[in-house]
Amino acid sequence: MKKVVYVLSVVPAIGSLVVINRVEPYVLGMPFVLFWAILWVCLTSMFLIITNKIDPENRGGEE
Amino acid sequence: MNAALLVILFFLVLCTWLGVRARKGKVMSLEQWAVGGRGFGSVLIFFLIAGEMFTTYTFLGASGGAYSSGIPTALYAFNCFYFVIAYWLLPPIWKYAKANNVISQSDFYTKKYNSSALGVLVAVISVISIIPYLVMQLKGLGIIVSETSYGSISPNVAIVVGVIAITIYVTASGMHGAAWTAVMKDIMILAVVVFMGIYFPLHYYGGLQPMFEAIDTAKQGFLIFPEQGLSISWFISATIMTALAFYMFPHMLAGVFSAKSPKSLRWNAGIMPIYQVIIIFSLFIGFSAILQVPNLKGPDVDLALFKMAKMSFDPWFVGVIGAAGAMAALIPSSLVLTAMATILSKNVYKVWKPNTSDDQLAKLSRMLVPVIALVTLYFTFNGGNSIFTLYLMAYSFMAQLFPALFFSLWKKNPVTVQGAFAGMIVGILLVIYSTTSDTTLATLFPSLPHVIKDLDVGLSVLLINIAVTLGVSAASRKPAIEMEEGDSQVS
């Protein structure tokens, strides 16, 4: 399980640093380079929330 | 007295009242005052840490950056790389802090390395980095208030009034005051920025895509990364550097310590990027200004947002924008003031006078707030360019604290006190040298390809720092002194 957790959190770390440097095509009215960055902001959130859900560290009497 | 000024004043009073009231029902011990008694749940932590990202930068810097340099700064403005770091880095820091009663960033180093001298060094580096940060927030405040009150109040008067307000509620409520006012501020900024970010492109261009197409036609290459200068390799290296430095700031770590559990920190790392998306609206405002208020130069680019607001809205609404902007400057400053007063009393004064009790420290910390406020005011009015140079170095300075902290979280810390000292000092000196002499990788090695030349200098200094830290540690470890005490709680 721990391995899955690591992989899940590494994906957005890499994804958010990748730049697709082009204006066309416009998506949602934004140049592609900007859209791509926003997409990864959302995906980072998704990945980290999933990671959070299955992370064994979060179980048990931490609180 | 115009409508805009009245609105701004109203919010300032409301904010001070909220801040002072936040202490209700709490006995202000040092732990309560400095880190909210480590009792903040997920929601409050969210506002506190998110609030730290919504500063004058979100308001003026991000829109100004999009206005003046387009895509590179726009993408840099909502880098979400640091949330991945936060997910893994913050919970172990919190656990150690909880187990060892750490209440400030310098405390962490003092206890991990069992050396109060290291704590003092960290405190000094932090104070030097953070005063310019405060000064820039205050200057931003002055500009915001004087612009949105249509010049009826001078920047300096605005700054003094603002500083008095936060000094009152920080002295009274410390971290509690910072947290509750952050809630109000974030809601206001959210509303104002999202509204303008949607309204301007629609109103002036008929939509987002027409706006970007117009910009693309008018300014070739403005909507992509250039081949050199602010290139992709600049973006990647600067993003990593900022992410590593981000949580080293004393007020950020104080925010982390005030969490109730590591769970709320992990939850936050996941939610925060969504919040970050809001910065996109600030960027839209900046982009929309490009063709509407062209020819802003130098520091004026940061006024793009206000120029747009004033030509589009009634004075009372400009006042609301001004109030949101003023909060954006003041509330992060209150968190900074709290953290700085704590490290100065606990990690500098106490080292000098070791038998000071916690009650005395709590009193001293609170007395230090007005003193720090005055010092900051002095630099705001007299600092000149040197303050700006220091501000540019602040992130690179804080990044130099990263290696010693990072390695100390390992099961077996490979770094010794000597190593930590050497790494930090070498790192700081190199940052000062490279900033003041304008040295970059490009001036050192002009023949290298741009991919390498555009790399952020701070990141290369950080690599040298890591090498020195580990090298000196290996050399000084020979007598096999184990400094593992108190370290075993964190695995």
Side-chain angles (χ1 to χ4, degrees):
Chain A
M1 204 49 150
K2 201 72 191 164
K3 264 204 189 115
V4 183
V5 168
Y6 280 123
V7 172
L8 273 179
S9 65
V10 167
V11 174
I14 297 169
S16 54
L17 289 179
V18 171
V19 175
I20 309 288
N21 203 16
R22 49 186 302 164
V23 178
E24 310 259 327
Y26 284 86
V27 184
L28 301 175
M30 288 176 276
F32 196 80
V33 57
L34 193 58
F35 164 76
W36 177 259
I38 293 169
L39 179 72
W40 273 102
V41 173
C42 300
L43 285 177
T44 301
S45 187
M46 224 179 72
F47 272 102
L48 287 182
I49 288 171
I50 296 172
T51 312
N52 195 19
K53 274 268 180 294
I54 61 171
D55 193 341
E57 285 271 320
N58 261 344
R59 310 253 162 91
E62 240 177 33
E63 266 181 316
Chain B
M1 192 63 90
N2 53 38
L5 193 56
L6 275 177
V7 174
I8 297 172
L9 263 179
F10 167 77
F11 278 104
L12 186 70
V13 172
L14 182 65
C15 167
T16 315
W17 177 76
L18 258 182
V20 172
R21 206 177 157 273
R23 64 175 306 190
K24 243 184 151 182
K26 311 271 184 333
V27 181
M28 278 292 151
S29 67
L30 186 60
E31 202 181 28
Q32 277 293 347
W33 188 84
V35 292
R38 266 181 253 276
F40 291 171
S42 304
V43 177
L44 210 49
I45 285 294
F46 174 72
F47 277 110
L48 199 59
I49 297 186
E52 200 37 52
M53 301 182 328
F54 273 20
T55 61
T56 42
Y57 177 78
T58 320
F59 227 67
L60 304 183
S63 56
Y67 176 89
S68 60
S69 19
I71 282 293
T73 38
L75 252 57
Y76 175 65
F78 57 88
N79 121 42
C80 57
F81 183 71
Y82 36 59
F83 303 115
V84 183
I85 302 219
Y87 189 91
W88 293 108
L89 188 67
L90 302 187
I93 294 179
W94 184 92
K95 280 185 210 159
Y96 182 84
K98 169 88 173 170
N100 294 280
N101 199 22
V102 168
I103 59 163
S104 77
Q105 161 241 36
S106 318
D107 245 11
F108 189 91
Y109 291 86
T110 305
K111 295 213 164 114
K112 267 285 188 193
Y113 287 93
N114 202 4
S115 153
S116 37
L118 187 67
V120 173
L121 177 69
V122 170
V124 170
I125 294 174
S126 306
V127 170
I128 293 176
S129 317
I130 221 166
I131 292 248
Y133 174 89
L134 271 181
V135 168
M136 294 313 279
Q137 292 290 337
L138 291 182
K139 288 199 164 162
L141 171 81
I143 296 170
I144 292 170
V145 174
S146 94
E147 276 289 318
T148 50
S149 66
Y150 297 84
S152 65
I153 203 171
S154 82
N156 288 1
V157 174
I159 291 171
V160 173
V161 173
V163 166
I164 291 172
I166 48 170
T167 305
I168 291 172
Y169 77 75
V170 168
T171 311
S173 318
M175 191 57 114
H176 288 282
W180 284 105
T181 48
V183 176
M184 182 181 96
K185 176 206 79 171
D186 280 13
I187 294 171
M188 267 186 86
I189 295 193
L190 195 82
V192 165
V193 168
V194 170
F195 170 72
M196 289 195 290
I198 295 172
Y199 178 81
F200 289 150
L202 268 180
H203 182 75
Y204 289 104
Y205 301 88
L208 270 183
Q209 188 163 346
M211 173 176 88
F212 282 116
E213 277 166 353
I215 295 170
D216 198 35
T217 325
K219 297 186 131 188
Q220 276 291 318
F222 200 69
L223 297 179
I224 51 168
F225 279 89
E227 289 288 311
Q228 47 176 290
L230 295 178
S231 65
I232 295 176
S233 64
W234 166 81
F235 166 74
I236 294 174
S237 58
T239 299
I240 295 175
M241 218 281 292
T242 315
L244 297 184
F246 192 64
Y247 291 102
M248 298 300 112
F249 278 99
H251 54 288
M252 290 310 296
L253 281 182
V256 170
F257 297 153
S258 62
K260 211 190 311 179
S261 75
K263 275 184 196 172
S264 53
L265 293 170
R266 288 199 198 93
W267 182 81
N268 250 294
I271 299 297
M272 210 75 92
I274 300 179
Y275 211 50
Q276 187 91 327
V277 174
I278 292 152
I279 293 181
I280 188 75
F281 292 99
S282 188
L283 299 172
F284 287 163
I285 299 171
F287 280 120
S288 71
I290 291 173
L291 300 177
Q292 294 303 320
V293 281
N295 304 325
L296 295 180
K297 291 255 154 46
D300 279 353
V301 299
D302 286 348
L303 298 180
L305 183 147
F306 294 118
K307 300 271 185 245
M308 288 297 285
K310 278 178 167 172
M311 74 187 210
S312 316
F313 304 124
D314 284 344
W316 71 268
F317 191 73
V318 173
V320 174
I321 298 169
M327 309 275 109
L330 284 177
I331 279 111
S333 305
S334 64
L335 188 58
V336 171
L337 270 179
T338 310
M340 193 145 68
T342 315
I343 58 174
L344 282 178
S345 66
K346 177 114 200 258
N347 305 104
V348 179
Y349 183 81
K350 197 169 178 185
V351 171
W352 181 42
K353 290 239 160 107
N355 44 12
T356 320
S357 75
D358 266 13
D359 272 350
Q360 285 169 309
L361 279 184
K363 257 189 219 122
L364 178 70
S365 305
R366 295 164 72 176
M367 269 158 37
L368 275 171
V369 173
V371 178
I372 300 170
L374 277 178
V375 172
T376 313
L377 272 184
Y378 173 81
F379 282 117
T380 309
F381 295 140
N382 302 304
N385 270 339
S386 49
I387 284 291
F388 188 67
T389 315
L390 271 177
Y391 179 72
L392 289 180
M393 289 192 269
Y395 264 92
S396 311
F397 274 167
M398 294 321 288
Q400 306 312 318
L401 303 181
F402 182 78
L405 181 136
F406 177 70
F407 288 120
S408 81
L409 295 172
W410 286 21
K411 277 199 181 116
K412 200 160 169 25
N413 185 358
V415 173
T416 62
V417 190
Q418 293 88 338
F421 260 105
M424 281 181 201
I425 290 172
V426 169
I428 295 292
L429 290 178
L430 284 175
V431 170
I432 295 175
Y433 174 76
S434 63
T435 313
T436 50
S437 65
D438 263 329
T439 307
T440 60
L441 290 177
T443 59
L444 284 178
F445 310 104
S447 56
L448 286 175
H450 284 296
V451 180
I452 298 173
K453 279 202 290 194
D454 295 337
L455 289 178
D456 188 89
V457 189
L459 194 66
S460 29
V461 173
L462 187 62
L463 294 178
I464 298 174
N465 175 341
I466 293 175
V468 172
T469 306
L470 292 177
V472 172
S473 296
S476 60
R477 196 175 274 284
K478 267 174 206 143
I481 307 163
E482 290 296 317
M483 15 149 290
E484 300 288 305
E485 288 165 53
D487 239 26
S488 44
Q489 285 91 335
V490 169
S491 58

